[in-house]
Amino acid sequence: MLPLPKTSCAIGHTRWATHGGVTMTNAHPHISTTKDFILAQNGIVENYSTLKKMLEKKKYTFKTQTDTEVIVRLIEQQTKKDETFRDSVRKAFNMLEGRNTIIVLDSKEDNHIIAVKNGSPLALGIGKDELFLASDALAFTKYTKDVVFFDNLDLIEIKGNKFKIYDSKTGKEKKYKITKLNSKVEDISKGKYDHFMLKEILEQQDTILKAVNYKLDDLKPLIDIIKKAKRIYITGAGTAGFASGQIAYYLRTISNIDVLDVRPYDFASYFPILKKDDLIIAVSQSGETADTIEVLEYAKELGCTIASIINVEGSTIHRMSDLPYLIHAGPEICVASTKVFTSQCVFGYLLAKSMVGEYTGAREEVESLSSGLREYFTEKVFNHIKKLVRSIKNRNHFFILGKEQNSYIALEGALKIKEISYKHFEGFSAGELKHGVIALIEKGTPVFTIISDDMCSKDLLSATEEVRARGAYTVGVGDSKFRKEECFNFFLPVVKSKELSALSNVVVFQLLSYFLAFSLGNSVDKPRNLAKSVTVK
């Protein structure tokens, strides 16, 4: 790699490929034909094919397969017509369809950058004699906590150490607000660990305590809204989606609240029945999940109340929410979410218990789980998991069975392992076993059974017997009282917890994911084809 030149103004971007192959030619940033400006983009130009054909008819040529290059050529076209470079960027941007944020470095004028936001995140950090633009304020909180968060269709022009904000549609200058972040700046180094993932898994002994560091009075506004709402929806995607499912489970089983768990990318079928008296609870790690934001935009326009359980202060979802709750899990650098999942779940548990007058008991239960995890994270436990990894690492198809409190844990456990190991893991509610899943069981197929000391244990032992009778290699994950059951070929005991055993169980799958991926030589913190915050659809 060539050394970078000295400069006082620069842009950079790591983008999840959306068009064309993952090649150096398609990589960001993209440079104009005359090298007058350089551009990077976050998002998808949904009408890029139409725009590209239009530009090709005007004799513009393309070197890449990306939708981003279309934006570059559009700006080139506009520079022939407009008086200012800002207007050229603005008018080109207005031709784009879809959620896009761009940043453009003007190489003709020193320290001149223009950025435009629509959908994909963007924030400005104001330091001492320096400015920062980033998709996440975490990128610059080490240097400043003074942040400007942008609305969609804001255009930001930076010249030297000064900036102005304009409406990208009209070109008129806008006022702005500087927000001082309250979150503590935390160390984002790996420290003594080989990977962020392992560090973040072990941090859960502390982060679950931070997530419930709310007074009952802090929760009361949300509790009151829940009691008044005509219908309650909770929504999240990916790991946050499984967290939303677990939270919904706690609200239903502990507080008898009628709450519907709906994935944001499937929410459109509920729009016709959504009412202004409904409550939407959004769950997101980054607070920038595109699918979730689209649901909230529709709900907000309708007049629904929006609450959120998120990890990033000042994020889009945080700012859109009437009742935002931060879980304070700290930076999560590994793409595969671990500590944020458990933090969101324990917050949901605290909320559900508080609604039935058991706030203090809930805090005590989380503290007990924290103490248990502190004792659980030992080399002895790690070596036991590594022993299992050695026996299953050459298999390609795996199944996880759960039930009731462990149904979403089976789904999250499977997601966590497939994200990092690239193995086919599939989670099911054990009740689905006889409805087709059992046909997939062959001799040696690893089947994990999540088993807590609850009313479902007999059903899960029976399901395990059935798959073992068909040749499965059975692995139990759960309460140690079941470790001697003959139906298990291998057993992974967890931290004992009266009401939060589901979260004890998910920690095992996080560790299994880590050690399996590590043994396979995979990129643990940055798995292939995945992005930390999915801001494109």
Side-chain angles (χ1 to χ4, degrees):
M1 183 180 290
L2 295 173
L4 294 173
K6 290 183 178 181
T7 182
S8 59
C9 184
I11 64 172
H13 186 36
T14 301
R15 189 192 185 208
W16 180 27
T18 57
H19 293 79
V22 183
T23 65
M24 287 296 292
T25 302
N26 289 335
H28 285 220
H30 291 269
I31 304 173
S32 66
T33 305
T34 57
K35 298 184 179 180
D36 285 343
F37 66 88
I38 302 161
L39 180 146
Q41 169 216 8
N42 186 13
I44 294 179
V45 181
E46 294 178 357
N47 61 332
Y48 92 100
S49 182
T50 301
L51 293 172
K52 186 173 182 179
K53 288 176 183 177
M54 178 269 290
L55 289 164
E56 285 174 334
K57 287 181 179 179
K58 295 184 177 182
K59 307 303 181 183
Y60 285 90
T61 59
F62 292 82
K63 298 178 181 179
T64 77
Q65 301 166 308
T66 68
D67 57 336
T68 309
E69 192 179 6
V70 168
I71 311 174
V72 175
R73 302 292 168 250
L74 284 174
I75 295 174
E76 287 179 355
Q77 178 185 232
Q78 288 300 134
T79 55
K80 298 175 182 178
K81 306 175 183 179
D82 299 313
E83 293 184 6
T84 68
F85 186 57
R86 181 179 74 240
D87 275 338
S88 297
V89 174
R90 182 177 68 82
K91 291 178 182 178
F93 187 85
N94 289 339
M95 299 181 199
L96 309 181
E97 293 179 7
R99 292 176 175 269
N100 291 280
T101 291
I102 63 170
I103 183 167
V104 188
L105 175 64
D106 181 1
S107 56
K108 302 190 304 300
E109 184 178 346
D110 289 342
N111 301 328
H112 186 203
I113 287 178
I114 296 172
V116 196
K117 176 192 184 302
N118 184 27
S120 296
L122 187 68
L124 175 77
I126 305 172
K128 184 179 180 181
D129 298 325
E130 56 188 354
L131 297 170
F132 306 88
L133 279 170
S135 58
D136 190 328
L138 172 63
F140 51 69
T141 48
K142 179 179 178 181
Y143 306 100
T144 181
K145 286 196 159 189
D146 292 333
V147 182
V148 177
F149 293 105
F150 301 114
D151 296 324
N152 285 338
L153 303 179
D154 277 355
L155 181 149
I156 307 92
E157 183 172 32
I158 295 174
K159 288 188 173 184
N161 293 324
K162 296 182 179 181
F163 68 93
K164 290 183 178 180
I165 300 174
Y166 302 86
D167 183 314
S168 67
K169 287 294 183 184
T170 65
K172 293 182 179 179
E173 188 173 350
K174 293 179 62 176
K175 294 181 180 180
Y176 58 86
K177 174 187 174 184
I178 298 176
T179 300
K180 186 170 285 293
L181 297 180
N182 295 314
S183 300
K184 293 181 180 178
V185 179
E186 299 193 34
D187 180 19
I188 58 172
S189 70
K190 291 193 289 285
K192 63 180 180 180
Y193 302 100
D194 292 328
H195 301 94
F196 281 108
M197 185 176 188
L198 182 59
K199 177 175 180 280
E200 289 161 9
I201 291 171
L202 302 190
E203 284 176 345
Q204 289 173 111
Q205 60 194 9
D206 299 314
T207 53
I208 59 172
L209 292 177
K210 294 178 182 179
V212 296
N213 193 26
Y214 282 94
K215 297 176 181 178
L216 185 56
D217 285 347
D218 298 327
L219 302 174
K220 194 174 183 303
L222 180 54
I223 291 172
D224 290 342
I225 289 292
I226 289 174
K227 289 179 178 179
K228 294 176 184 176
K230 184 174 182 180
R231 175 171 275 186
I232 302 159
Y233 298 89
I234 184 165
T235 189
T239 288
F242 298 140
S244 70
Q246 194 70 17
I247 294 167
Y249 171 84
Y250 290 141
L251 288 170
R252 287 193 299 266
T253 58
I254 295 172
S255 356
N256 297 323
I257 298 297
D258 182 6
V259 55
L260 194 58
D261 167 39
V262 184
R263 296 291 169 270
Y265 38 77
D266 289 330
F267 211 108
S269 64
Y270 291 86
F271 286 165
I273 62 172
L274 199 62
K275 302 290 188 296
K276 67 177 182 179
D277 296 328
D278 294 338
L279 167 67
I280 309 289
I281 303 176
V283 182
S284 172
Q285 187 280 130
S286 65
E288 300 292 351
T289 312
D291 293 307
T292 305
I293 290 170
E294 283 193 1
V295 172
L296 300 188
E297 287 172 343
Y298 183 91
K300 203 168 186 68
E301 190 172 329
L302 198 63
C304 299
T305 301
I306 296 171
S308 59
I309 306 169
I310 49 178
N311 191 43
V312 180
E313 182 185 9
S315 61
T316 300
I317 294 177
H318 183 264
R319 289 179 286 119
M320 291 179 75
S321 301
D322 302 296
L323 297 167
Y325 287 89
L326 291 164
I327 53 164
H328 303 293
E332 194 175 55
I333 307 302
C334 177
V335 167
S337 177
T338 52
K339 62 181 180 176
V340 170
F341 175 81
T342 49
S343 291
Q344 288 170 331
C345 289
V346 295
F347 176 87
Y349 169 76
L350 178 69
L351 175 64
K353 294 287 280 187
S354 298
M355 292 194 69
V356 293
E358 297 178 17
Y359 166 85
T360 301
R363 289 287 302 267
E364 291 173 352
E365 185 72 11
V366 176
E367 289 168 5
S368 175
L369 177 60
S370 172
S371 298
L373 288 174
R374 205 172 299 278
E375 296 175 5
Y376 183 75
F377 292 136
T378 63
E379 284 300 320
K380 182 179 178 180
V381 170
F382 297 165
N383 288 334
H384 188 56
I385 296 173
K386 290 176 186 177
K387 182 180 178 181
L388 174 63
V389 166
R390 288 192 291 271
S391 68
I392 65 173
K393 65 182 291 185
N394 293 324
R395 291 283 177 177
N396 292 312
H397 302 285
F398 305 78
F399 301 95
I400 304 176
L401 304 178
K403 194 171 183 181
E404 293 288 339
Q405 65 172 313
N406 289 306
S407 289
Y408 279 100
I409 301 306
L411 298 174
E412 170 58 15
L415 174 64
K416 205 53 48 207
I417 303 176
K418 72 178 73 169
E419 283 180 314
I420 308 299
S421 73
Y422 316 146
K423 298 281 188 179
H424 171 228
F425 265 78
E426 202 164 346
F428 296 96
S429 175
E432 281 293 315
L433 186 62
K434 289 184 178 179
H435 298 282
V437 179
I438 202 165
L440 300 172
I441 305 303
E442 300 174 346
K443 185 177 180 180
T445 302
V447 177
F448 291 77
T449 301
I450 308 176
I451 186 163
S452 296
D453 187 11
D454 58 22
M455 62 182 181
C456 300
S457 60
K458 289 184 179 180
D459 291 341
L460 288 159
L461 290 172
S462 177
T464 307
E465 291 282 8
E466 289 189 55
V467 295
R468 188 175 183 187
R470 287 155 178 80
Y473 181 79
T474 57
V475 181
V477 176
D479 196 297
S480 58
K481 70 176 285 185
F482 300 106
R483 68 186 308 165
K484 293 185 179 179
E485 292 288 341
E486 293 183 359
C487 60
F488 295 119
N489 297 113
F490 199 96
F491 198 87
L492 295 170
V494 304
V495 176
K496 194 170 185 66
S497 176
K498 184 180 178 182
E499 292 187 331
L500 292 172
S501 63
L503 302 189
S504 297
N505 297 333
V506 81
V507 169
V508 172
F509 288 103
Q510 294 170 351
L511 289 167
L512 179 63
S513 174
Y514 173 77
F515 289 119
L516 179 57
F518 185 75
S519 72
L520 294 168
N522 294 350
S523 175
V524 174
D525 289 332
K526 298 178 181 179
R528 67 189 186 196
N529 302 334
L530 296 177
K532 183 61 183 173
S533 174
V534 183
T535 54
V536 296
K537 295 176 64 184

